[in-house]
Amino acid sequence: MDQQEMVQEGLQHLLHVYNRFPIVLQQGTGTHVIDQNQVQYLDFLSGIAVNALGMAYPQIVQAIITEAQKISHVSNFFYTETNIRLAKRLCDISFAKKVFFCNSGAEAIESAMKISRKYFARQEKEQYEIISFHQSFHGRTLGALSVTGQTKYQKGFEPLLPGIRFAHLNDLNSVKAVLTPKTAAVLIEPIQGEGGVFPCEEKFLKELRKLTQENNILLILDEIQTGLGRTGKMWAYEHYKITPDILTSAKALGGGLPMGALLVTDQVAEAFHPGDHATTFGGNPIVSAASLAMLEIISAPQFLDNVTQQGDYLKEKLLHLRSKFPEKIVEIRGQGLMWGIEVTVSARDLVQGCLQKGLLISSAGDNVIRLLPPLIVTKSEIDLAIEKLMKVISE
Ligand SMILES: *Cc1c(COP(=O)(O)O)cnc(C)c1O
């Protein structure tokens, strides 16, 4: 079956919820992936910030094989060694004291919302409201959708969860305006990803941390996209010199396999008792092994320095690109290896154009294209991507 026929089969049998490109990706190594017609693409998408180490990273592949030969799913009635080691590792490299594993970003958000409610319920306080932000993205399950600040995703799914209030990013007064005696938590992405790559200002996030502390409410950082080295630090919160009460992780966490996690302080951990929350697949040993292998690599001392260096290089190239096309490029936003380019033309057309030139990127909204290369990207690959991008923008 050729690629076109395969796409037809996909259209026929897969529920049509994605506007996919008519390409069947077949195989990848590092920053490159090939489709069924053996056309090669340079990957500046990383499966939406999932493949932090690119595709088929040897240590991850080996870890998956080794674990799969030993043990697979065991249920959460039992422990597995890789999962315990992973939980410890995540605590060692973060503010957190305890971890709950699940299978996706949205599920991590659900867990964060539930533990916030339980935290106050245990104190016999009626605090259940959550403050989120316009343009945010937290996932597609009903709870996560309710805290997502983009009505286009919510239309037709109402009624959504009550008690969700929205503030404006980088505007502390707008947070104060929706703070009530019933507020339990503020949920925020350090850099809004899907919403168009909008970073929190340092002053704002620091003041938000202070505000939540003064009011005894919880700060939930959604680091599903920004975490695990993407911004040049293990967690984006390190740039802001704050720590949250709760953090959600996913995307890159499973080393390419599906995994989400809820990371919490000791104090928040007390809220959940046996029976309060669960998920069948959470902490699967094979995914845990892949995750451990990934963390081993990215927590090596020079690894994140290199992400920062490549990120600075990419930023410089993007700023140069903007100066060349001031009428088409409005703004460059981001940090590390997470960049948004706001354009005056259709982002989807640019993504399509890049695809035809063998470069995988994505859009984040109608007017922003987003670059999320694997963290192992090299300068020459950045040069090549910029060259392709330049050609597409100039056309
Ligand atoms: C992708 C994403 C989610 C949702 O994760 P899923 O695994 O798709 O459910 C939530 N929050 C942020 C910041 C994300 O980037």
Side-chain angles (χ1 to χ4, degrees), residues 48 103-107 109 137-141 144 189 191-194 222-226 248 250-251 259 370:
I48 320 184
N103 312 288
S104 70
E107 209 189 333
I109 294 290
F137 182 84
H138 300 292
R140 304 299 198 111
T141 55
E189 298 157 85
I191 303 175
Q192 287 185 341
E194 306 302 310
D222 181 348
E223 292 233 27
I224 290 168
Q225 193 160 148
T226 55
T248 54
K251 289 204 163 87
M259 176 176 263
R370 182 176 41 163

Side-chain angles (χ1 to χ4, degrees), residues 113 116-121 123 125-133 162-167 174-187 208 211-220 245:
M113 294 171 76
S116 302
R117 284 188 171 192
K118 201 74 168 192
Y119 178 81
F120 289 102
Q123 303 171 41
K125 288 181 180 158
E126 204 195 324
Q127 284 175 250
Y128 57 84
E129 290 184 356
I130 292 178
I131 297 175
S132 181
F133 290 83
I164 312 299
R165 292 161 186 270
F166 291 94
S174 76
V175 180
K176 289 179 183 163
V178 290
L179 194 72
T180 80
K182 289 191 165 46
T183 306
V186 177
L187 167 64
L208 186 64
L211 183 74
T212 52
Q213 270 160 346
E214 285 165 0
N215 288 277
N216 291 314
I217 56 175
L218 302 169
L219 178 65
I220 308 169
D245 303 294

Side-chain angles (χ1 to χ4, degrees), residues 265-329:
T265 60
D266 261 335
Q267 203 186 358
V268 173
E270 299 288 309
F272 270 176
H273 295 180
D276 281 341
H277 194 54
T279 179
T280 297
F281 289 109
N284 172 287
I286 299 170
V287 189
S288 296
S291 181
L292 271 171
M294 182 273 300
L295 286 176
E296 186 75 35
I297 308 292
I298 71 166
S299 52
Q302 311 82 4
F303 187 88
L304 293 181
D305 291 344
N306 189 55
V307 172
T308 302
Q309 272 173 35
Q310 305 300 337
D312 288 347
Y313 185 71
L314 177 56
K315 178 184 182 180
E316 188 189 305
K317 293 274 157 183
L318 290 174
L319 287 173
H320 179 67
L321 197 64
R322 188 187 62 168
S323 67
K324 277 194 131 167
F325 301 100
E327 73 292 346
K328 283 185 183 158
I329 299 179

Side-chain angles (χ1 to χ4, degrees), residues 223-251:
E223 292 233 27
I224 290 168
Q225 193 160 148
T226 55
L228 300 163
R230 178 53 55 188
T231 68
K233 301 242 187 229
M234 187 57 76
W235 308 102
Y237 70 72
E238 295 168 35
H239 294 290
Y240 298 87
K241 300 178 183 66
I242 59 154
T243 58
D245 303 294
I246 299 174
L247 180 145
T248 54
S249 179
K251 289 204 163 87

